[in-house]
Amino acid sequence: MAASGSALELINSRVRAAAQHLQAAVKGVAECVHGAEGSELGELLILIREAGIDPLEAAFAAGVRRFDRSGEYAADGALSVTAWLKWKCKLSGGAAAERVEIGKQLERLPKTEEAFARGDLGYQHVAVIARTAENVGAAAVRTEERSLLEAALKMDPGQFMTVAKNFEHRVDAGAALAEANRAYQRRYLQVGDPKDGIVRIDGLLDTEGGATVRAALAAQMKPIKEDDRTHGQRCADALVEVCRQRSGGRHDSSGTRPQLIIRASLDTLAGIPGAPAGELEGGGTVPAETVQRYACDTALIRMTGRTELEHERNHISRTIPASTRRALEERDRRCVWPGCGRPAVWCDGHHLVWWTRGGETTLPNLALLCRPHHRMVHEGGWSLQRRKEQWLVQPPAEVPVRVVARRE
């Protein structure tokens, strides 16, 4: 039944008053955030979630449910309440659909709705419960709603997800298996073509595959002293490192390397100005300094004028033999860059005097450098020198001198 004119005016008046109070409260909280420090700021952040964001999300979910039922979204030309939320509330399709589903399921889960409205539950906890109710039915969730809420209060959303999935498996193991099989069928990995020096990697893994990748990367991701890499950069480095080591198949790094093929002219290898870039066989180019870095510790093959491939006669003199590599790892044990200490499996054998300048591939002319610091020497322009028991590094002119440290 449509509201009368006076009733509608009263509702609009209440909505305007509530909006004004909310705007004033948000402004006051924002001022407190800018003025708070330390533990006081931490307490304020907790309060914002528990007394503000989560109860408002609960009210929003209830409102979405009632608005959907009313069909008033059609007055704006929207075909569904999800489309209306995307348009009017500036939500993504996934976020809009999730809130619609949460609103529907909370109507059937009163204890969860009450806890959400009080701020006892976070939005992500409620989203997990709503998805569980969607998968196995709200009636099944109500039978263990109390225990699920108790678990949610003690756990972060990721941990609580495991509890919810265990519950789903107990209720309907067949459906859980079907979901796992559907997730496995969605798996893919795409490695894009180089663009502006960047290769984009995109993909999806099932839960088992994702856990396997995380476990493989974890050992390579631990930050070290003075490590200024972001988490994402450490993850990217770990992925490349895992691929390097698994391809080699030898823990002492003396096994077969990944077949990364770079084509380059002799002028590029020698660093002569005007020389072309190196060309990666998989597509893309790399600077001359990158070519030289790889040439520090790799095999070279020359393409003759007759387009035949043959090994350079003296390639052994620049490729580090397995016995020399083992001796190098025994002597240096880790990256020699002052303050680094990354393990030997992360390291290349670097020529202190590069072999195109007469440096020999012998132990006195070699040093272990991790891939990031090896890159700093070649592409970054830093220099590395050894004086008795000290390793000295010298930055390029535009970088302030930072470290001189005794070798461990």
Side-chain angles (χ1 to χ4, degrees):
M1 179 181 294
S4 65
S6 58
L8 185 60
E9 184 178 346
L10 178 61
I11 292 172
N12 289 338
S13 176
R14 289 174 56 193
V15 169
R16 285 194 295 270
Q20 290 173 355
H21 286 308
L22 180 59
Q23 289 171 351
V26 169
K27 183 178 179 180
V29 170
E31 291 173 352
C32 290
V33 167
H34 290 300
E37 298 288 345
S39 61
E40 183 184 38
L41 180 58
E43 292 295 328
L44 181 57
L45 294 177
I46 295 172
L47 183 64
I48 290 172
R49 294 296 317 184
E50 293 183 349
I53 295 175
D54 290 328
L56 283 173
E57 284 280 11
F60 189 83
V64 167
R65 179 175 67 239
R66 295 182 64 241
F67 190 63
D68 185 18
R69 190 174 294 156
S70 73
E72 286 296 321
Y73 54 82
D76 288 323
L79 299 179
S80 67
V81 70
T82 301
W84 188 90
L85 289 171
K86 289 172 59 181
W87 174 22
K88 293 292 187 177
C89 296
K90 302 177 179 63
L91 295 175
S92 68
E98 184 175 69
R99 281 161 174 80
V100 171
E101 186 60 33
I102 286 175
K104 291 179 180 178
Q105 297 300 337
L106 286 181
E107 186 176 25
R108 304 160 187 154
L109 302 170
K111 291 186 177 64
T112 302
E113 187 169 35
E114 290 171 7
F116 194 18
R118 290 194 305 268
D120 294 342
L121 283 185
Y123 174 83
Q124 292 185 341
H125 290 93
V126 174
V128 171
I129 293 175
R131 282 195 294 272
T132 299
E134 182 182 9
N135 291 339
V136 300
V141 173
R142 281 198 300 272
T143 61
E144 292 199 31
E145 190 174 7
R146 186 180 300 279
S147 62
L148 287 172
L149 291 177
E150 289 176 356
L153 292 173
K154 300 174 184 177
M155 300 177 179
D156 64 47
Q159 295 170 324
F160 181 59
M161 175 70 79
T162 301
V163 173
K165 287 301 179 185
N166 276 329
F167 170 71
E168 289 184 28
H169 194 276
R170 294 199 308 272
V171 173
D172 191 343
L177 175 60
E179 181 185 31
N181 287 335
R182 286 193 300 271
Y184 180 72
Q185 291 301 324
R186 294 177 62 194
R187 75 196 186 282
Y188 79 92
L189 182 67
Q190 182 177 8
V191 181
D193 295 326
K195 184 178 181 181
D196 299 327
I198 295 293
V199 174
R200 184 179 182 85
I201 299 178
D202 184 39
L204 290 175
L205 297 174
D206 66 331
T207 304
E208 178 187 351
T212 301
V213 171
R214 281 196 299 270
L217 298 183
Q220 305 288 352
M221 285 186 63
K222 296 178 181 177
I224 62 171
K225 184 179 179 181
E226 298 181 2
D227 193 343
D228 59 357
R229 296 174 300 161
T230 65
H231 175 83
Q233 289 171 334
R234 288 190 286 117
C235 190
D237 290 346
L239 176 61
V240 174
E241 206 55 45
V242 166
C243 292
R244 283 176 179 269
Q245 293 178 23
R246 294 301 178 269
S247 296
R250 293 278 297 277
H251 293 296
D252 64 2
S253 305
S254 62
T256 304
R257 298 291 184 86
Q259 296 300 306
L260 180 63
I261 298 175
I262 304 176
R263 293 184 173 88
S265 69
L266 291 177
D267 288 352
T268 303
L269 205 55
I272 297 175
E279 297 181 6
L280 291 166
E281 185 171 89
T285 61
V286 292
E289 289 78 7
T290 302
V291 176
Q292 293 164 5
R293 170 163 57 86
Y294 272 95
C296 259
D297 190 4
T298 190
L300 296 184
I301 297 176
R302 183 180 67 184
M303 182 176 287
T304 68
R306 297 188 303 276
T307 70
E308 297 172 347
L309 295 177
E310 64 178 8
H311 281 288
E312 284 272 60
R313 293 178 181 174
N314 62 342
H315 83 279
I316 293 299
S317 66
R318 55 182 169 269
T319 303
I320 300 177
S323 58
T324 304
R325 173 72 194 202
R326 288 192 292 269
L328 179 61
E329 292 185 2
E330 179 64 26
R331 188 196 69 188
D332 291 346
R333 298 193 179 268
R334 58 184 66 88
C335 176
V336 301
W337 192 276
C340 179
R342 286 186 175 93
V345 292
W346 270 71
C347 297
D348 296 325
H350 170 65
H351 289 71
L352 299 174
V353 178
W354 207 43
W355 53 265
T356 60
R357 299 182 178 91
E360 297 181 350
T361 306
T362 56
L363 198 58
N365 190 47
L366 295 173
L368 282 182
L369 279 181
C370 67
R371 251 73 77 175
H373 283 128
H374 199 189
R375 184 182 182 88
M376 285 177 63
V377 170
H378 286 275
E379 287 91 332
W382 287 65
S383 64
L384 176 73
Q385 295 179 340
R386 179 171 53 210
R387 294 182 183 172
K388 295 183 179 179
E389 293 301 313
Q390 282 187 318
W391 289 104
L392 307 180
V393 293
Q394 180 69 36
E398 66 272 13
V399 179
V401 176
R402 293 189 302 172
V403 289
V404 175
R406 182 172 296 277
R407 176 185 170 195
E408 295 181 1

